[in-house]
Amino acid sequence: MGQDRDRFSTATRLRLLGEQTAARVYRSQSRRQARRSRLTGRAAFLALVVCTMVVALAYPMRQYVSQRGEIAEQERLAEQAAARVERLRDEKARLQDDAYVRRLARQHLHYVLPGETAYTMNDPDAARSRRTDQGGTGSPWYSDVWDGVDRADRTRADRTRADRAGADRAGRQDP
């Protein structure tokens, strides 16, 4: 009975509890140390290898991506050029037809066949819009010419005055 009593005593229980806790702590510390020591070197080497690979492949990958973009752009330009060539071939084939050439001459050059009477009507709105579309000022041509003469005359007078002023300064500095 002395042994049973010893088994259930507070001191015995505390001692057993302390031993169990110490064993758990020791096991967890040894596991942590084993894991830490086992993975640290490998992890560092793996990180070094991965970083080296990233650095080594970054520039070639960037070049690859940019060249793929340039290739796509050149393919797009080649498709546009092929479409333009096809349109020009069609136009060339149409220009082989005399009726099409006559129609273009009548439409754009205002040609008429013998015996026909041609009439040309001026549209004032179209004339104004055409003049401003081409960079004109909207004023008559003779007004633009006269303004140009005035500007040229003013700049010539300004240059002459500047030349005289320079000569006066040079003349004063000589003595």
Side-chain angles (χ1 to χ4, degrees):
M1 184 135 167
Q3 194 180 31
D4 284 339
R5 201 173 94 186
D6 210 23
R7 185 174 159 206
F8 294 112
S9 73
T10 307
T12 306
R13 279 195 233 160
L14 285 175
R15 187 172 40 86
L16 284 173
L17 187 62
E19 289 173 2
Q20 289 173 354
T21 306
R24 276 192 227 128
V25 168
Y26 177 72
R27 276 193 308 250
S28 68
Q29 285 178 350
S30 64
R31 280 189 209 141
R32 256 189 261 143
Q33 288 175 351
R35 261 189 265 143
R36 188 178 301 146
S37 64
R38 184 181 67 191
L39 295 178
T40 302
R42 289 180 184 172
F45 182 71
L46 181 63
L48 179 67
V49 168
V50 168
C51 289
T52 303
M53 294 298 288
V54 166
V55 169
L57 294 176
Y59 183 73
M61 286 302 293
R62 191 183 88 196
Q63 289 295 333
Y64 174 76
V65 170
S66 69
Q67 287 175 357
R68 293 302 301 170
E70 289 175 16
I71 289 170
E73 176 69 17
Q74 291 300 322
E75 287 174 348
R76 185 184 62 79
L77 291 174
E79 288 174 3
Q80 286 179 350
R84 185 167 185 264
V85 165
E86 189 62 32
R87 282 193 312 270
L88 290 173
R89 282 187 183 142
D90 291 345
E91 182 70 17
K92 181 181 176 184
R94 278 187 298 225
L95 288 172
Q96 300 299 319
D97 184 20
D98 290 337
Y100 181 71
V101 172
R102 273 193 222 104
R103 184 171 67 88
L104 287 178
R106 290 169 76 90
Q107 187 177 26
H108 295 289
L109 302 175
H110 305 289
Y111 279 19
V112 292
L113 294 175
E116 293 181 342
T117 304
Y119 294 98
T120 303
M121 297 175 50
N122 292 331
D123 184 10
D125 294 333
R128 261 189 241 112
S129 66
R130 194 171 357 144
R131 188 176 299 146
T132 56
D133 289 347
Q134 295 172 351
T137 59
S139 60
W141 66 270
Y142 49 85
S143 176
D144 292 338
V145 169
W146 192 251
D147 290 341
V149 168
D150 284 343
R151 276 195 304 272
D153 200 27
R154 264 186 262 131
T155 56
R156 183 179 298 141
D158 293 342
R159 275 186 273 145
T160 306
R161 272 190 238 123
D163 290 344
R164 286 184 191 152
D168 289 344
R169 274 185 264 137
R172 284 187 220 138
Q173 293 174 358
D174 285 341

